[in-house]
Amino acid sequence: RMFELAKLCLSNEKYEVAQKCFQYIIDKGPSYGFYDAACIDIINCEYQYLTGKAQPSLTELLALENKFLKATEKYKSSHLANFLISNLANLQAYYLNKPDSAIMHIEGLLQNPAMDAQTRAEFKIQLADIYLLKNVIWDASLLYSQVEKDFKFEPIGQEAKFRNAKLSFYAADFTWAKTQCDVLKGSTTKLIANDALDLSLIITDAIGVDTNAAPLARFAVADLLIVQHKYDEAIVQLDSINKIFPTHTLGDDILFKKAAIYDKLGKYPEAEKMYKDIIEYYSTELYGDDAQFKLAELYEKKMIDVEKAKTEYQNVLTKYPGSIYVVEARKRYRQLRGDNLDNG
């Protein structure tokens, strides 16, 4: 029961409580049934906490890397090592500027002939993502294509297909990227279908009127810089679009990207302004409902202002009744209001 409680707390981002639960199990000793799983998950708990934190310190990240390295050595002959190595690779690639070490770890896992096909595909996508981080576009595309071919009608294959479409987008091959996205709009996986639809609409809106692809090409470069965690460079690139192409149609897209960057960097007032600008000037555009929901979430989870969060969740329900966020917004509004959701 304690292990289930720890997992529940972890999924609800209650990291401190989850850590105490896992530690309680670890303190029972190695002979206890859930000991090894708790040893793994307490490190995963710290990983989720730090990577979800605005600008974690290098000292914290290096300490966590050391814990991962010790745990992977301890459990190297166990199936539990896969999970550890996956998170270690992400930590090294995206937060410690060690993509080569991350690639070495994932390639080591892929050498295991006993690995099942689904797990192998997941690691191939992770490896491709890290190649993308290093700007090794061709190797990334090759890996995505392998997964797409092996799992053509499965969700993971469609995910790989979408990531390949994004590669075409980053490379300014907008026609091909849109063609792939239009195919994926019928994906059985709702998240992929929505992402594909969004990217297709961005391309159509940006080059559908005057066919000038230059502003969108700069936007695509900025999007790749965000993936590579080069946030300052991405903001410079996004701002340059407004200066060089004052009549472009990417206004809401730029604001939404900048809001996500500011949120990640812990610059919450700046993120708040970006979302409010979208709601004020682009309320009926692609990101109108997204900005409305994200603003409410920002007040609830980051700026800790319950009254403002309630108001903005309510605005999702009244201003965007057809939005995909309606169900979640209603649930969160009622939770903040103090309703007992178990009783309807």
Side-chain angles (χ1 to χ4, degrees):
R1 288 202 302 272
M2 184 64 73
F3 189 75
E4 288 174 1
L5 175 61
K7 286 287 199 181
L8 181 64
C9 291
L10 189 57
S11 66
N12 285 293
E13 300 178 9
K14 304 296 183 184
Y15 300 120
E16 190 176 343
V17 181
Q19 199 160 25
K20 287 179 180 177
C21 293
F22 287 130
Q23 191 61 53
Y24 173 85
I25 296 168
I26 293 167
D27 290 343
K28 292 280 186 182
S31 61
Y32 193 66
F34 290 95
Y35 176 82
D36 289 327
C39 286
I40 301 282
D41 281 327
I42 198 168
I43 301 173
N44 177 50
C45 180
E46 188 174 348
Y47 169 81
Q48 288 192 32
Y49 166 69
L50 278 183
T51 55
K53 186 178 174 183
Q55 303 190 72
S57 73
L58 181 60
T59 303
E60 290 174 310
L61 293 169
L62 288 172
L64 179 58
E65 180 191 30
N66 190 46
K67 289 178 185 178
F68 269 125
L69 290 170
K70 286 181 178 177
T72 52
E73 179 63 26
K74 180 179 178 181
Y75 294 104
K76 61 184 177 183
S77 59
S78 165
H79 69 281
L80 297 171
N82 288 1
F83 179 67
L84 283 165
I85 291 171
S86 176
N87 282 345
L88 170 61
N90 280 342
L91 182 73
Q92 291 178 325
Y94 294 99
Y95 296 92
L96 291 171
N97 195 28
K98 297 179 180 179
D100 292 330
S101 295
I103 288 169
M104 181 189 71
H105 287 306
I106 301 298
E107 286 180 339
L109 284 177
L110 289 170
Q111 289 173 9
N112 179 5
M115 183 179 288
D116 67 89
Q118 174 77 22
T119 304
R120 185 175 298 278
E122 290 169 2
F123 281 125
K124 279 186 175 183
I125 286 180
Q126 184 179 3
L127 181 58
D129 289 346
I130 298 170
Y131 276 133
L132 181 60
L133 188 70
K134 286 190 67 183
N135 241 14
V136 186
I137 305 295
W138 171 248
D139 286 1
S141 182
L142 189 64
L143 286 165
Y144 291 141
S145 298
Q146 287 175 4
V147 175
E148 181 189 342
K149 181 182 176 184
D150 292 342
F151 292 87
K152 196 166 185 178
F153 302 106
E154 303 290 328
I156 194 167
Q158 293 170 348
E159 176 68 34
K161 187 181 183 73
F162 177 70
R163 294 190 188 212
N164 241 340
K166 284 295 293 260
L167 278 185
S168 299
F169 178 72
Y170 298 143
D173 188 353
F174 301 127
T175 302
W176 178 249
K178 185 180 182 307
T179 300
Q180 297 304 298
C181 286
D182 288 343
V183 172
L184 285 166
K185 285 191 289 189
S187 170
T188 53
T189 306
K190 190 174 180 181
L191 187 61
I192 296 171
N194 286 337
D195 287 344
L197 176 61
D198 284 354
L199 185 56
S200 178
L201 288 172
I202 288 169
I203 295 169
T204 302
D205 289 348
I207 61 177
V209 180
D210 58 8
T211 67
N212 180 8
L216 187 59
R218 283 180 173 266
F219 183 82
V221 169
D223 202 13
L224 179 56
L225 288 169
I226 292 169
V227 171
Q228 295 171 335
H229 287 206
K230 297 175 181 176
Y231 298 124
D232 291 339
E233 293 176 48
I235 288 176
V236 170
Q237 190 75 16
L238 290 168
D239 287 342
S240 75
I241 299 171
N242 291 324
K243 293 173 185 173
I244 300 170
F245 307 100
T247 60
H248 69 83
T249 58
L250 290 164
D252 58 330
D253 307 273
I254 290 171
L255 289 171
F256 197 74
K257 288 292 181 188
K258 288 176 71 173
I261 293 171
Y262 288 137
D263 192 341
K264 182 67 179 175
L265 294 176
K267 297 181 177 181
Y268 304 131
E270 288 90 337
E272 176 191 23
K273 184 180 186 308
M274 297 298 106
Y275 291 135
K276 283 185 171 181
D277 283 351
I278 294 172
I279 294 165
E280 182 175 356
Y281 301 112
Y282 304 96
S283 61
T284 60
E285 299 293 328
L286 178 62
Y287 290 110
D289 62 330
D290 298 83
Q292 184 66 71
F293 182 82
K294 290 288 186 182
L295 179 61
E297 194 171 51
L298 185 71
Y299 285 138
E300 179 194 2
K301 296 188 174 181
K302 305 293 177 62
M303 301 179 82
I304 319 299
D305 191 325
V306 172
E307 290 308 313
K308 283 186 178 180
K310 280 164 59 178
T311 299
E312 299 306 336
Y313 280 130
Q314 197 167 28
N315 283 338
V316 175
L317 306 177
T318 56
K319 294 181 180 179
Y320 302 96
S323 170
I324 60 171
Y325 295 109
V326 161
V327 173
E328 185 64 21
R330 182 178 290 113
K331 175 185 166 186
R332 294 194 189 184
Y333 173 75
R334 292 179 64 191
Q335 283 176 335
L336 292 174
R337 194 173 62 179
D339 294 4
N340 186 348
L341 300 187
D342 291 336
N343 294 328

PDB file of all heavy atoms in Angstrom, residues 22-34:
ATOM      1  N   PHE A  22       8.898   6.250  -0.519  1.00  0.00           N
ATOM      2  CA  PHE A  22       9.926   5.360  -1.048  1.00  0.00           C
ATOM      3  C   PHE A  22      11.015   5.111   0.005  1.00  0.00           C
ATOM      4  O   PHE A  22      11.504   3.986   0.149  1.00  0.00           O
ATOM      5  CB  PHE A  22      10.558   5.959  -2.319  1.00  0.00           C
ATOM      6  CG  PHE A  22       9.671   5.921  -3.527  1.00  0.00           C
ATOM      7  CD1 PHE A  22       9.468   7.055  -4.300  1.00  0.00           C
ATOM      8  CD2 PHE A  22       9.041   4.742  -3.905  1.00  0.00           C
ATOM      9  CE1 PHE A  22       8.656   7.027  -5.426  1.00  0.00           C
ATOM     10  CE2 PHE A  22       8.231   4.691  -5.036  1.00  0.00           C
ATOM     11  CZ  PHE A  22       8.029   5.845  -5.783  1.00  0.00           C
ATOM     12  N   GLN A  23      11.390   6.154   0.746  1.00  0.00           N
ATOM     13  CA  GLN A  23      12.426   6.016   1.763  1.00  0.00           C
ATOM     14  C   GLN A  23      11.975   5.075   2.873  1.00  0.00           C
ATOM     15  O   GLN A  23      12.786   4.292   3.413  1.00  0.00           O
ATOM     16  CB  GLN A  23      12.796   7.387   2.342  1.00  0.00           C
ATOM     17  CG  GLN A  23      14.052   7.369   3.207  1.00  0.00           C
ATOM     18  CD  GLN A  23      15.283   6.917   2.437  1.00  0.00           C
ATOM     19  OE1 GLN A  23      15.614   7.454   1.384  1.00  0.00           O
ATOM     20  NE2 GLN A  23      15.987   5.904   2.957  1.00  0.00           N
ATOM     21  N   TYR A  24      10.698   5.122   3.216  1.00  0.00           N
ATOM     22  CA  TYR A  24      10.138   4.220   4.230  1.00  0.00           C
ATOM     23  C   TYR A  24      10.346   2.763   3.818  1.00  0.00           C
ATOM     24  O   TYR A  24      10.727   1.912   4.636  1.00  0.00           O
ATOM     25  CB  TYR A  24       8.652   4.517   4.407  1.00  0.00           C
ATOM     26  CG  TYR A  24       7.915   3.541   5.295  1.00  0.00           C
ATOM     27  CD1 TYR A  24       7.899   3.691   6.678  1.00  0.00           C
ATOM     28  CD2 TYR A  24       7.232   2.456   4.741  1.00  0.00           C
ATOM     29  CE1 TYR A  24       7.227   2.792   7.490  1.00  0.00           C
ATOM     30  CE2 TYR A  24       6.563   1.545   5.547  1.00  0.00           C
ATOM     31  CZ  TYR A  24       6.557   1.718   6.920  1.00  0.00           C
ATOM     32  OH  TYR A  24       5.888   0.816   7.726  1.00  0.00           O
ATOM     33  N   ILE A  25      10.120   2.487   2.523  1.00  0.00           N
ATOM     34  CA  ILE A  25      10.287   1.120   2.007  1.00  0.00           C
ATOM     35  C   ILE A  25      11.770   0.736   1.992  1.00  0.00           C
ATOM     36  O   ILE A  25      12.141  -0.376   2.386  1.00  0.00           O
ATOM     37  CB  ILE A  25       9.681   1.010   0.592  1.00  0.00           C
ATOM     38  CG1 ILE A  25       8.170   1.239   0.657  1.00  0.00           C
ATOM     39  CG2 ILE A  25       9.993  -0.348  -0.035  1.00  0.00           C
ATOM     40  CD1 ILE A  25       7.520   1.443  -0.691  1.00  0.00           C
ATOM     41  N   ILE A  26      12.617   1.670   1.558  1.00  0.00           N
ATOM     42  CA  ILE A  26      14.060   1.405   1.500  1.00  0.00           C
ATOM     43  C   ILE A  26      14.615   1.096   2.894  1.00  0.00           C
ATOM     44  O   ILE A  26      15.457   0.208   3.072  1.00  0.00           O
ATOM     45  CB  ILE A  26      14.807   2.604   0.866  1.00  0.00           C
ATOM     46  CG1 ILE A  26      14.433   2.733  -0.608  1.00  0.00           C
ATOM     47  CG2 ILE A  26      16.317   2.463   1.019  1.00  0.00           C
ATOM     48  CD1 ILE A  26      14.860   4.031  -1.258  1.00  0.00           C
ATOM     49  N   ASP A  27      14.106   1.812   3.889  1.00  0.00           N
ATOM     50  CA  ASP A  27      14.560   1.606   5.268  1.00  0.00           C
ATOM     51  C   ASP A  27      14.206   0.224   5.819  1.00  0.00           C
ATOM     52  O   ASP A  27      14.772  -0.225   6.818  1.00  0.00           O
ATOM     53  CB  ASP A  27      13.970   2.681   6.187  1.00  0.00           C
ATOM     54  CG  ASP A  27      14.568   4.061   5.925  1.00  0.00           C
ATOM     55  OD1 ASP A  27      15.643   4.127   5.287  1.00  0.00           O
ATOM     56  OD2 ASP A  27      13.948   5.074   6.329  1.00  0.00           O
ATOM     57  N   LYS A  28      13.289  -0.466   5.152  1.00  0.00           N
ATOM     58  CA  LYS A  28      12.925  -1.838   5.554  1.00  0.00           C
ATOM     59  C   LYS A  28      14.051  -2.823   5.259  1.00  0.00           C
ATOM     60  O   LYS A  28      14.086  -3.921   5.793  1.00  0.00           O
ATOM     61  CB  LYS A  28      11.656  -2.285   4.817  1.00  0.00           C
ATOM     62  CG  LYS A  28      10.388  -1.536   5.229  1.00  0.00           C
ATOM     63  CD  LYS A  28       9.832  -2.090   6.508  1.00  0.00           C
ATOM     64  CE  LYS A  28       8.495  -1.467   6.849  1.00  0.00           C
ATOM     65  NZ  LYS A  28       7.960  -1.973   8.131  1.00  0.00           N
ATOM     66  N   GLY A  29      14.958  -2.415   4.324  1.00  0.00           N
ATOM     67  CA  GLY A  29      16.110  -3.272   4.033  1.00  0.00           C
ATOM     68  C   GLY A  29      15.979  -4.056   2.745  1.00  0.00           C
ATOM     69  O   GLY A  29      14.872  -4.222   2.207  1.00  0.00           O
ATOM     70  N   PRO A  30      17.114  -4.577   2.235  1.00  0.00           N
ATOM     71  CA  PRO A  30      17.153  -5.281   0.948  1.00  0.00           C
ATOM     72  C   PRO A  30      16.287  -6.529   0.870  1.00  0.00           C
ATOM     73  O   PRO A  30      15.943  -6.979  -0.225  1.00  0.00           O
ATOM     74  CB  PRO A  30      18.637  -5.660   0.806  1.00  0.00           C
ATOM     75  CG  PRO A  30      19.359  -4.710   1.688  1.00  0.00           C
ATOM     76  CD  PRO A  30      18.440  -4.441   2.836  1.00  0.00           C
ATOM     77  N   SER A  31      15.942  -7.124   2.004  1.00  0.00           N
ATOM     78  CA  SER A  31      15.126  -8.348   1.980  1.00  0.00           C
ATOM     79  C   SER A  31      13.652  -8.053   1.720  1.00  0.00           C
ATOM     80  O   SER A  31      12.874  -8.956   1.436  1.00  0.00           O
ATOM     81  CB  SER A  31      15.275  -9.091   3.314  1.00  0.00           C
ATOM     82  OG  SER A  31      14.812  -8.276   4.386  1.00  0.00           O
ATOM     83  N   TYR A  32      13.287  -6.787   1.800  1.00  0.00           N
ATOM     84  CA  TYR A  32      11.877  -6.409   1.611  1.00  0.00           C
ATOM     85  C   TYR A  32      11.531  -6.450   0.119  1.00  0.00           C
ATOM     86  O   TYR A  32      12.329  -6.035  -0.733  1.00  0.00           O
ATOM     87  CB  TYR A  32      11.634  -5.013   2.185  1.00  0.00           C
ATOM     88  CG  TYR A  32      10.181  -4.652   2.334  1.00  0.00           C
ATOM     89  CD1 TYR A  32       9.362  -5.336   3.233  1.00  0.00           C
ATOM     90  CD2 TYR A  32       9.622  -3.631   1.577  1.00  0.00           C
ATOM     91  CE1 TYR A  32       8.030  -5.000   3.381  1.00  0.00           C
ATOM     92  CE2 TYR A  32       8.288  -3.286   1.710  1.00  0.00           C
ATOM     93  CZ  TYR A  32       7.493  -3.980   2.619  1.00  0.00           C
ATOM     94  OH  TYR A  32       6.177  -3.651   2.743  1.00  0.00           O
ATOM     95  N   GLY A  33      10.351  -6.921  -0.205  1.00  0.00           N
ATOM     96  CA  GLY A  33       9.950  -7.184  -1.597  1.00  0.00           C
ATOM     97  C   GLY A  33      10.045  -6.004  -2.544  1.00  0.00           C
ATOM     98  O   GLY A  33      10.421  -6.162  -3.703  1.00  0.00           O
ATOM     99  N   PHE A  34       9.724  -4.816  -2.070  1.00  0.00           N
ATOM    100  CA  PHE A  34       9.694  -3.640  -2.949  1.00  0.00           C
ATOM    101  C   PHE A  34      10.968  -2.793  -2.846  1.00  0.00           C
ATOM    102  O   PHE A  34      11.005  -1.676  -3.346  1.00  0.00           O
ATOM    103  CB  PHE A  34       8.483  -2.765  -2.613  1.00  0.00           C
ATOM    104  CG  PHE A  34       7.166  -3.385  -2.991  1.00  0.00           C
ATOM    105  CD1 PHE A  34       6.426  -4.105  -2.062  1.00  0.00           C
ATOM    106  CD2 PHE A  34       6.676  -3.265  -4.280  1.00  0.00           C
ATOM    107  CE1 PHE A  34       5.217  -4.682  -2.401  1.00  0.00           C
ATOM    108  CE2 PHE A  34       5.463  -3.834  -4.638  1.00  0.00           C
ATOM    109  CZ  PHE A  34       4.732  -4.545  -3.699  1.00  0.00           C
TER     110      PHE A  34
END
